[in-house]
């Protein structure tokens, strides 16, 4: 009986030490990861431009109070990712109309959703319908 109790105590201690070691390894891996600093440069105005900034031209297909759906023009590189992009309207008082041609400027990658999404920094009206 004593041997079983001692065996159980040793097993619990070994498992506890193992769990502690695994926790420390995971904690070290998470805290030692490189942090990414997204730097921006000023372009002579109050605007900032990211080194990872992209843009495409397209036509508005749908208008909502919080987003617009834009179809990239046929020759745009973004068209290879998706035929529709959902563009969030943040603090934007502009009234958009279906059929309007726009230039969408964004930073980062294209989110693989449908419609696709990007981190929009600017929406410019190129021509009205």
């Amino acid at each position: 009986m004593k041997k079983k109790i001692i065996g159980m105590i040793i097993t619990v201690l070994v498992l506890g030490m193992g769990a502690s070691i695994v926790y420390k390894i995971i904690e070290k891996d998470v805290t030692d990861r490189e942090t990414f600093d997204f730097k921006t440069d000023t372009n002579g105005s109050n605007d900032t431009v990211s080194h990872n900034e992209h843009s495409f031209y397209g036509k508005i297909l749908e208008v909502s109070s919080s987003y617009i759906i834009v179809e990239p023009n046929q020759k745009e590189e973004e068209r290879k990712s998706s035929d529709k992009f959902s563009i969030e309207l943040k603090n934007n008082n502009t009234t958009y109309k279906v059929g309007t041609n726009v230039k969408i400027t964004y930073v980062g990658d294209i989110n693989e959703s449908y419609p696709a999404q990007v981190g929009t920094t600017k929406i410019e009206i190129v021509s009205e319908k």
Side-chain angles (χ1 to χ4, degrees):
M1 184 68 161
K2 286 184 181 182
K3 288 183 181 182
K4 284 185 180 182
I5 293 174
I6 292 173
M8 288 175 52
I9 291 172
I10 291 173
T11 302
V12 169
L13 289 174
V14 168
L15 289 174
M17 288 174 41
S20 176
I21 291 169
V22 169
Y23 175 79
K24 287 295 184 185
I25 290 171
I26 291 171
E27 180 184 45
K28 181 176 178 7
D29 181 49
V30 170
T31 56
D32 285 351
R33 288 189 182 160
E34 182 177 341
T35 57
F36 296 99
D37 184 18
F38 296 100
K39 297 181 180 175
T40 57
D41 293 331
T42 58
N43 61 2
S45 68
N46 290 332
D47 297 336
T48 58
V49 178
S50 170
H51 296 289
N52 194 18
E53 192 169 64
H54 310 280
S55 62
F56 67 91
Y57 292 88
K59 181 170 61 173
I60 297 176
L61 300 178
E62 183 181 327
V63 177
S64 164
S65 61
S66 59
Y67 66 88
I68 57 176
I69 302 295
V70 176
E71 175 186 29
N73 293 343
Q74 289 291 334
K75 295 180 181 178
E76 296 293 338
E77 188 69 24
E78 287 77 5
R79 181 73 180 225
K80 294 177 183 176
S81 296
S82 183
D83 64 337
K84 292 180 183 176
F85 283 76
S86 178
I87 307 299
E88 185 179 4
L89 301 175
K90 303 179 231 173
N91 303 322
N92 191 328
N93 295 327
T94 305
T95 302
Y96 296 99
K97 297 177 186 172
V98 172
T100 300
N101 293 308
V102 292
K103 178 182 178 184
I104 305 298
T105 304
Y106 66 96
V107 294
D109 296 325
I110 297 171
N111 295 337
E112 295 181 15
S113 58
Y114 192 78
Q117 298 176 350
V118 291
T120 305
T121 58
K122 190 186 298 181
I123 304 169
E124 298 173 67
I125 295 177
V126 176
S127 66
E128 295 278 338
K129 177 178 169 183

